[in-house]
Amino acid sequence: MDGSGGDSGSMATPVQKKVHEAWRVYQYYLDKTTPHSTNRWIGTLVVFLIYCLRVYSIQGFYIISYGLGIYLLNLLIGFLSPLVDPELEVTDGATLPTRGSDEFKPFIRRLPEFKFWYSMTKAFCIAFLMTFFSVFDVPVFWPILLCYWVVLFVLTMRRQIAHMIKHKYIPFSIGKQKYSGRRSSASSSGGSRAD
């Protein structure tokens, strides 16, 4: 009984330790990118352009691109949708205001911006890796897939925009009124803080 104590079940192999350490380093750098949204999206744009260049140069893997497009459309719908859908759930808690006299409740997305970015970037990377395996290069007539995806996008966005209009919410802060808070009123009234 030399393994007495609680350690016998938690013994990890050296491979598991290396994988765990690599995951911690990856998560550390991923967490450091959180406040740099512009740089993150520029990086995703670069990955997208590399993927497009790869698909264009080998003239194939259109089924992968179609599946990627459907997945990105699904992510976009989650990004534009509120956390609590007023049509599906009747709640006593936070709901979207429907009139100007209603209490302000902030728009909370079903899919936050960081997860939207991360899922999108990961999808582009996986699709790029899939282009190196010929088993995924299914011969299809790509204009039909493109037309079908465009029709699907238009119908889905029309439904989403109708939902936004019906429940009177805007998922973006562009054009919304911004309040400066207490700092500007304190600095304009004399400068000393007596709070």
Side-chain angles (χ1 to χ4, degrees), residues 42-93:
I42 289 171
T44 301
L45 180 64
V46 168
V47 171
F48 167 72
L49 292 175
I50 290 171
Y51 173 75
C52 289
L53 184 65
R54 169 90 176 141
V55 169
Y56 179 75
S57 67
I58 56 181
Q59 297 291 315
F61 297 96
Y62 301 118
I63 260 316
I64 301 297
S65 298
Y66 176 72
L68 178 64
I70 295 294
Y71 180 71
L72 295 178
L73 182 61
N74 186 27
L75 289 177
L76 181 64
I77 292 301
F79 182 69
L80 296 177
S81 300
L83 181 63
V84 178
D85 192 353
E87 291 180 349
L88 299 178
E89 293 185 25
V90 178
T91 61
D92 295 333

Side-chain angles (χ1 to χ4, degrees), residues 4-194:
S4 63
D7 294 46
S8 63
S10 65
M11 297 295 283
T13 65
V15 173
Q16 289 173 331
K17 288 180 182 177
K18 292 286 185 188
V19 168
H20 180 68
E21 183 61 31
W23 179 256
R24 285 186 40 176
V25 169
Y26 171 74
Q27 191 64 44
Y28 171 76
Y29 285 112
L30 187 63
D31 290 344
K32 286 185 73 76
T33 66
T34 303
H36 308 289
S37 63
T38 304
N39 295 336
R40 284 189 283 121
W41 283 105
I42 289 171
T44 301
L45 180 64
V46 168
V47 171
F48 167 72
L49 292 175
I50 290 171
Y51 173 75
C52 289
L53 184 65
R54 169 90 176 141
V55 169
Y56 179 75
S57 67
I58 56 181
Q59 297 291 315
F61 297 96
Y62 301 118
I63 260 316
I64 301 297
S65 298
Y66 176 72
L68 178 64
I70 295 294
Y71 180 71
L72 295 178
L73 182 61
N74 186 27
L75 289 177
L76 181 64
I77 292 301
F79 182 69
L80 296 177
S81 300
L83 181 63
V84 178
D85 192 353
E87 291 180 349
L88 299 178
E89 293 185 25
V90 178
T91 61
D92 295 333
T95 59
L96 295 171
T98 56
R99 293 180 296 277
S101 61
D102 285 352
E103 178 184 352
F104 170 75
K105 294 176 180 72
F107 180 80
I108 302 171
R109 300 178 189 283
R110 187 171 8 136
L111 182 65
E113 184 268 338
F114 184 79
K115 288 184 180 180
F116 177 57
W117 165 81
Y118 182 66
S119 299
M120 183 181 284
T121 306
K122 192 166 55 169
F124 280 126
C125 292
I126 290 170
F128 179 74
L129 290 176
M130 290 174 77
T131 62
F132 289 99
F133 300 99
S134 61
V135 71
F136 297 116
D137 192 11
V138 179
V140 292
F141 187 59
W142 67 267
I144 296 289
L145 287 179
L146 181 63
C147 289
Y148 182 65
W149 186 85
V150 167
V151 167
L152 190 63
F153 178 81
V154 168
L155 291 176
T156 305
M157 283 297 108
R158 190 172 75 184
R159 183 180 57 86
Q160 186 66 33
I161 291 170
H163 188 271
M164 290 179 200
I165 292 170
K166 179 180 178 185
H167 296 287
K168 298 179 180 144
Y169 68 90
I170 300 172
F172 304 107
S173 59
I174 297 170
K176 290 185 178 179
Q177 184 178 6
K178 296 186 182 190
Y179 298 99
S180 58
R182 295 174 68 178
R183 274 191 196 162
S184 63
S185 63
S187 64
S188 64
S189 63
S192 68
R193 276 181 74 154

